[in-house]
Structures are given as C-alpha cells and as structure tokens.
Amino acid sequence: MPWLNTNFHIQKKSHINVTSHKRIHTGEKPYPCDICGKSFSHNSDLTRHKHIHTYHCNIHGKSFIQSGELIKRKLTHTGEKAYPCNICGKSFSQKSIYLITNLFI
C-alpha cells in the first residue's frame, strides 16, 4: 500500500508544523545556545544565531557575524587609521570613509 507510506509522511510533517506553530503561543524555546544561554523556538534559529559567536572582540566582548565588522570595531579600539589620503595626508580608519572623502576633493 504505497498511499499509506505517503499519508504517514504527510501526517508526520503536519504534526511537526503544528508543534512548531504552537511554540509561538506558548513561548516554548527548547533550543538553548551552549555559548551564551539564549534560547530559540526553532533549531534553525539557533544555528543562525551561533554565527554571531564566530567573530568575538576580546576588548569589549561583543560578537559579530562578519569578520569585516570585527576588524572595523577593533580599529576603533586601537585608533589605527590605515587609509591615508595621498593628497592632503589625512588618515581614516575605514576605507569607505577614505574613498568618499577623496571623491569630493
């Protein structure tokens, strides 16, 4: 009976969707982050959240999803200005600010 197997999978999927949906109303969050303790109602949300712990600033403890954001943040702590203007000599901590400023000179 091939229809029985298909019907079972439909019922199982429906049960999962209902269980997942009920968490909206109950506030249940059975998926805690083992790093910071924040909990989530769906495992996929926990997986997405864990990426913020990938790039961690050891100066003030904030975490970032992208490495570039962490690099920019560390430059604010160190005061380093790695992008000097070749016209006036003024330096900038972010390349984007350097480029925008030089476009209007």
Side-chain angles (χ1 to χ4, degrees), residues 35 49-56 63-65 70:
I35 298 168
H49 161 80
K50 282 190 172 185
H51 290 288
I52 71 163
H53 297 298
T54 305
Y55 303 104
H56 185 76
S63 296
F64 300 90
I65 296 171
L70 175 60

Side-chain angles (χ1 to χ4, degrees), residues 1-6:
M1 293 186 201
W3 63 268
L4 182 62
N5 191 23
T6 304

Side-chain angles (χ1 to χ4, degrees), residues 29-99:
K29 296 181 178 182
Y31 301 100
C33 175
D34 56 349
I35 298 168
C36 70
K38 186 173 181 179
S39 292
F40 299 88
S41 55
H42 301 95
N43 192 34
S44 59
D45 294 335
L46 171 61
T47 302
R48 187 173 37 249
H49 161 80
K50 282 190 172 185
H51 290 288
I52 71 163
H53 297 298
T54 305
Y55 303 104
H56 185 76
C57 178
N58 56 3
I59 296 170
H60 73 294
K62 188 170 181 178
S63 296
F64 300 90
I65 296 171
Q66 298 176 338
S67 63
E69 294 298 315
L70 175 60
I71 291 167
K72 281 195 286 188
R73 184 63 189 179
K74 283 188 174 182
L75 289 175
T76 64
H77 293 307
T78 64
E80 179 184 351
K81 296 183 177 183
Y83 302 98
C85 173
N86 57 4
I87 298 169
C88 70
K90 186 175 179 181
S91 293
F92 302 90
S93 61
Q94 295 179 31
K95 189 174 185 178
S96 59
I97 295 172
Y98 160 75
L99 291 173

